[in-house]
Amino acid sequence: MVEQMVQQTTKAPIGAYVCLLKGCSRRKALAEGKQVHALIVQSVLDSNILLANTLVHMYSKCGSVLDAHKVFSNMPQHNVYSWTAIISAYADSGQAEEAIKLFQQMQETGLAPDKVVFVVVLKACARLAALEQGKQLHSDIIRRGFQSDVIVGSTLVDMYSKCGCTEDARELFNNMSERDVVSWTAMIAGYAQNGLSKEAFALYEQMKQEGVQPNNVTLSTLVDMYAKCGCTEDARELFNNMSERDVVSWSAMIAGYAQNGLGKDSLALYEQMKQEGVQPDNVTFVLLLQACASLAALEQGKQLHSDIIKRGFQSDVIVGSTLVDMYSKCGCTEDARELFNNMSERNVVSWTAMIAGYAQNGLGKEALALFDQMQREGTKPNEVTYICVLSACAQSRLVDEGRHVFDSMYKNHGVTPTMEHYACMVDLLGRAGCLADAELFIDKMPIQPGSVVWMSLLGAARNHGNVEIGRRAFDRVMKLEPKNAAPYVLLSNIYAAAGRKDELAKIRNEMKDAGVKKMPGCSWIEVDNQVHAFVVGEATHPQSKEILAELDRLVGLMKEAGYIPDLSFVLDDVEDKEKENALCRHSVKLAVAFGLIKTPPGTPIRIKKNLWVCGDCHNATKIISKIVGREIIVMDANRSHHFKDGFCFCGDYW
DNA sequence: ATAGGGTTAG
């Protein structure tokens, strides 16, 4: 077909080829572009500088920097457009350092840069947050008199913002001789990216006052900003009022829900998006997978996975890593691993996601093995990798292995332990019952221990019923984070388990006086592609009556099997009978009962919980798994619990 | 040629 088209236009072969290549660029049709390239070579037109430049451009747009570079280096001569095309190829593919290097090479050849090449190199600097180079470019731009160009100006604003220099960006913005909607939006986005939402809103108001119409890019920026502030309702209102919504606008709103714990709303919005005929892209899928992961919504996650394959996004490394994460967070480490093995490209995040998957599911040995493999295959672990490896060791009681990893992280990969790593070590030692070692470890820390470290110790004290250490750790957390409810709950658990009623009452009052509220426990379960949420103590689900009846029936059977409700997990000072009732309304139990009613016998039940699963729910679920002959998987805020035949794979170590 | 949405942990 390509040949036919060319033959029909033999009168202007070069122009025709340019047209064809531009079409390929637009459609990102690499294979077709290569065909056209072959024809150009056949017609001995490949030394034509215009065609060669267009080829470089085409390969760049189709994502093949390698081919772009080949064409570029085979060209008999380069003009400024050739350089622009190859620099932009590297900048767009994320190889910003290479782009900057090429720009320097270009200047060495004596060619004078034009506006466009400055824009392209500035983009590379923004990507790298290479402020010094950016400033150098800025002065070159002034020297050549390009500073009054509105595109160059907007790009400079963007570069300074992405380097974290919002004040420089703003000064430049104020001095721009001409400002269009893009300039305003770049400055608003600059504030948003640097967490200055007040300034961003103020500038947005000013923009409207000066009569500049915000477009859908401006509004999507604001939707994202509202969402990042946690104001999803404001974001939604703005989103609803947008006249034009493209895939980015929808994704920004989907992200807002997914990243604020409202995964259900993300998935609902996706349905609406499809109805309105907007096509999701790779980024949309990443966000939706995050929503599924946060809900452990495996069925919908699998559906998305097949949509991803259908639309050809499965080779995107970020999509792949997010899929690994989604399967892991649904408790399916084997599926995650198979996917991981088949990924066409893996980066440090992909490896880390898989290691984290093993860690979350209590498979410490597998995590360590993968960590070894990763290094053998030449991927350098980063600090997050180490957090995951250490937490895998902590979850699986691999104390010596964890110590060894910690001791060698700087030596092996130059990763300096941060607060999080120290907290992991305290967790590792504390969980294993070495509370004294953990305290000693904190004493020897070269940095001031932060609240995460003390929280780890407090958690360990809770697990091992150590009142004194628990109290000490609690006091340290309070000094750093007086408004956090978690330490109050942990210390209350310690007092309750130790039967220290007076101290329990006292801490409950202190908590009340401090105006600190415990986050209510909430569990989710997906049934028939629909996620159902259960909040502790609430009977708001339409089928609450049946759920409570089922729980009643189960508790009877459980007691026959030896279940004794652990009333120490009810912190309110009420009668024992009432405590037992309260235990029965814990969200995990409600979700389990619902799952039992709504799914066929024998099928596994998968539940997601926002906090840690409580000891009584853990014990109860073990017994239920045996009585009803079902596998029950509870993904809590920390790790998974896989119940089967009366046991949990965590071995009660969590 | 310029502005907006994305991956691992906690």
Side-chain angles (χ1 to χ4, degrees):
Chain A
M1 191 180 81
V2 171
E3 280 166 352
Q4 266 177 9
M5 287 175 73
V6 174
Q7 273 159 15
Q8 282 163 9
T9 50
T10 41
K11 278 187 186 164
I14 291 178
Y17 283 130
V18 167
C19 261
L20 284 173
L21 289 173
K22 281 188 176 167
C24 296
S25 298
R26 208 180 46 243
R27 288 176 284 114
K28 301 190 181 186
L30 180 61
E32 204 180 308
K34 283 189 172 177
Q35 266 181 290
V36 179
H37 186 181
L39 287 169
I40 290 170
V41 174
Q42 240 175 51
S43 329
V44 212
L45 285 170
D46 50 324
S47 57
N48 177 287
I49 195 161
L50 171 62
L51 274 180
N53 287 348
T54 317
L55 275 166
V56 174
H57 187 78
M58 180 278 293
Y59 279 125
S60 156
K61 288 287 171 210
C62 295
S64 179
V65 188
L66 219 72
D67 287 306
H69 196 97
K70 253 191 240 161
V71 177
F72 179 79
S73 37
N74 288 333
M75 285 168 71
Q77 51 173 331
H78 299 131
N79 59 19
V80 68
Y81 303 113
S82 334
W83 285 98
T84 307
I86 192 66
I87 292 170
S88 134
Y90 279 103
D92 288 346
S93 72
Q95 301 177 65
E97 279 165 324
E98 200 57 37
I100 293 170
K101 247 193 250 164
L102 283 163
F103 178 65
Q104 281 154 359
Q105 275 179 35
M106 167 188 160
Q107 284 179 307
E108 281 160 21
T109 68
L111 274 175
D114 65 0
K115 288 192 268 198
V116 181
V117 77
F118 274 121
V119 167
V120 169
V121 184
L122 278 173
K123 214 161 98 181
C125 290
R127 198 164 182 144
L128 285 176
L131 181 60
E132 288 315 310
Q133 315 236 39
K135 280 186 175 169
Q136 181 60 51
L137 288 169
H138 188 181
S139 72
D140 290 346
I141 286 166
I142 294 173
R143 203 149 41 84
R144 294 186 188 271
F146 295 140
Q147 79 275 27
S148 54
D149 181 273
V150 66
I151 296 180
V152 172
S154 305
T155 314
L156 276 166
V157 167
D158 187 50
M159 183 278 294
Y160 278 115
S161 301
K162 294 225 165 79
C163 290
C165 307
T166 45
E167 287 176 20
D168 295 281
R170 181 57 188 263
E171 202 190 320
L172 203 138
F173 175 81
N174 287 343
N175 292 328
M176 281 172 79
S177 52
E178 185 197 341
R179 273 174 251 163
D180 61 9
V181 60
V182 178
S183 331
W184 285 92
T185 307
M187 193 61 237
I188 291 171
Y191 281 132
Q193 285 151 7
N194 288 287
L196 299 166
S197 43
K198 259 171 93 176
E199 286 80 355
F201 283 123
L203 198 65
Y204 173 60
E205 291 306 321
Q206 196 186 330
M207 168 185 182
K208 286 193 291 188
Q209 268 170 26
E210 297 197 8
V212 181
Q213 260 320 310
N215 64 14
N216 68 329
V217 177
T218 323
L219 295 174
S220 300
T221 308
L222 293 174
V223 166
D224 181 55
M225 201 166 50
Y226 272 124
K228 291 231 160 66
C229 299
C231 310
T232 45
E233 286 175 18
D234 296 304
R236 183 58 185 263
E237 199 186 323
L238 196 70
F239 174 80
N240 285 344
N241 290 329
M242 284 174 71
S243 55
E244 239 182 273
R245 289 181 296 212
D246 63 9
V247 61
V248 178
S249 326
W250 284 92
S251 301
M253 195 60 237
I254 289 173
Y257 285 134
Q259 289 157 6
N260 281 294
L262 300 164
K264 263 185 89 164
D265 296 300
S266 291
L267 295 171
L269 201 62
Y270 176 50
E271 291 308 314
Q272 201 185 325
M273 170 183 174
K274 282 192 291 192
Q275 270 173 22
E276 297 193 12
V278 179
Q279 300 301 314
D281 65 9
N282 48 348
V283 178
T284 322
F285 281 119
V286 166
L287 297 163
L288 292 166
L289 288 172
Q290 283 179 342
C292 290
S294 75
L295 298 165
L298 181 62
E299 289 314 314
Q300 292 176 87
K302 281 184 175 172
Q303 182 57 55
L304 288 168
H305 186 181
S306 84
D307 292 348
I308 284 165
I309 294 171
K310 258 185 237 155
R311 291 172 189 267
F313 293 125
Q314 78 275 31
S315 52
D316 180 311
V317 65
I318 299 184
V319 170
S321 306
T322 314
L323 274 166
V324 167
D325 184 51
M326 185 277 292
Y327 279 115
S328 300
K329 291 216 167 88
C330 290
C332 308
T333 43
E334 287 175 17
D335 296 281
R337 182 55 189 266
E338 200 191 322
L339 201 139
F340 175 82
N341 287 342
N342 292 327
M343 281 173 77
S344 52
E345 183 195 342
R346 284 180 218 126
N347 62 19
V348 59
V349 178
S350 331
W351 286 93
T352 306
M354 191 63 237
I355 292 171
Y358 283 134
Q360 286 151 3
N361 288 284
L363 299 165
K365 288 252 158 52
E366 287 80 352
L368 283 173
L370 197 67
F371 180 55
D372 278 340
Q373 193 187 333
M374 162 184 188
Q375 293 169 82
R376 280 199 310 275
E377 295 188 14
T379 303
K380 194 173 128 72
N382 63 19
E383 36 174 89
V384 179
T385 318
Y386 275 104
I387 291 170
C388 297
V389 174
L390 291 173
S391 91
C393 292
Q395 299 286 356
S396 302
R397 209 179 197 131
L398 299 166
V399 179
D400 294 338
E401 291 85 344
R403 278 188 197 267
H404 176 253
V405 167
F406 182 83
D407 290 338
S408 58
M409 57 190 274
Y410 181 74
K411 198 175 66 210
N412 289 352
H413 292 107
V415 179
T416 308
T418 65
M419 192 68 73
E420 297 292 343
H421 299 98
Y422 286 101
C424 286
M425 285 306 286
V426 172
D427 191 32
L428 174 86
L429 298 167
R431 265 175 213 272
C434 314
L435 288 168
D437 283 355
E439 277 201 296
L440 205 65
F441 183 85
I442 297 176
D443 282 341
K444 288 191 185 158
M445 278 176 60
I447 49 176
Q448 190 76 20
S451 63
V452 273
V453 172
W454 295 114
M455 279 298 287
S456 292
L457 187 66
L458 180 53
R462 198 265 317 252
N463 285 347
H464 296 282
N466 190 317
V467 179
E468 285 68 36
I469 292 184
R471 181 79 223 188
R472 275 206 291 278
F474 174 83
D475 290 339
R476 304 303 287 257
V477 181
M478 276 303 111
K479 280 192 191 136
L480 300 164
E481 267 190 282
K483 292 286 170 199
N484 187 350
Y488 281 106
V489 175
L490 287 173
L491 188 62
S492 304
N493 287 148
I494 295 177
Y495 285 146
R500 301 211 185 180
K501 287 200 169 166
D502 296 347
E503 279 150 311
L504 175 61
K506 205 172 146 230
I507 198 77
R508 300 287 291 167
N509 281 330
E510 279 177 30
M511 188 172 171
K512 220 191 242 167
D513 294 344
V516 176
K517 280 213 175 77
K518 179 183 186 287
M519 194 198 291
C522 186
S523 298
W524 297 264
I525 181 169
E526 183 188 47
V527 174
D528 296 333
N529 281 332
Q530 194 65 44
V531 174
H532 301 257
F534 296 91
V535 180
V536 56
E538 279 187 8
T540 46
H541 194 275
Q543 278 161 286
S544 279
K545 233 176 127 183
E546 291 126 283
I547 293 166
L548 292 175
E550 172 69 4
L551 272 174
D552 244 15
R553 187 184 74 86
L554 282 171
V555 169
L557 293 170
M558 284 152 67
K559 282 186 173 167
E560 281 171 30
Y563 168 66
I564 301 162
D566 187 341
L567 304 183
S568 76
F569 285 98
V570 181
L571 300 174
D572 296 313
D573 188 19
V574 292
E575 295 297 313
D576 282 2
K577 187 66 212 157
E578 211 170 311
K579 284 188 181 177
E580 211 181 307
N581 266 329
L583 276 182
C584 246
R585 281 157 183 71
H586 275 189
S587 64
V588 169
K589 298 191 186 83
L590 295 171
V592 168
F594 181 74
L596 289 174
I597 301 172
K598 301 299 283 186
T599 59
T603 50
I605 291 175
R606 197 177 307 277
I607 286 162
K608 171 79 190 180
K609 173 160 173 56
N610 63 341
L611 307 169
W612 288 15
V613 56
C614 91
D616 185 69
C617 284
H618 194 267
N619 185 36
T621 313
K622 280 198 289 189
I623 301 173
I624 295 172
S625 74
K626 191 177 169 74
I627 294 175
V628 301
R630 296 243 210 163
E631 273 184 60
I632 302 173
I633 298 125
V634 180
M635 310 293 305
D636 80 7
N638 190 42
R639 57 160 297 156
S640 73
H641 295 276
H642 199 128
F643 303 93
K644 195 180 173 185
D645 296 331
F647 294 94
C648 176
F649 286 19
C650 80
D652 301 336
Y653 185 78
W654 86 92

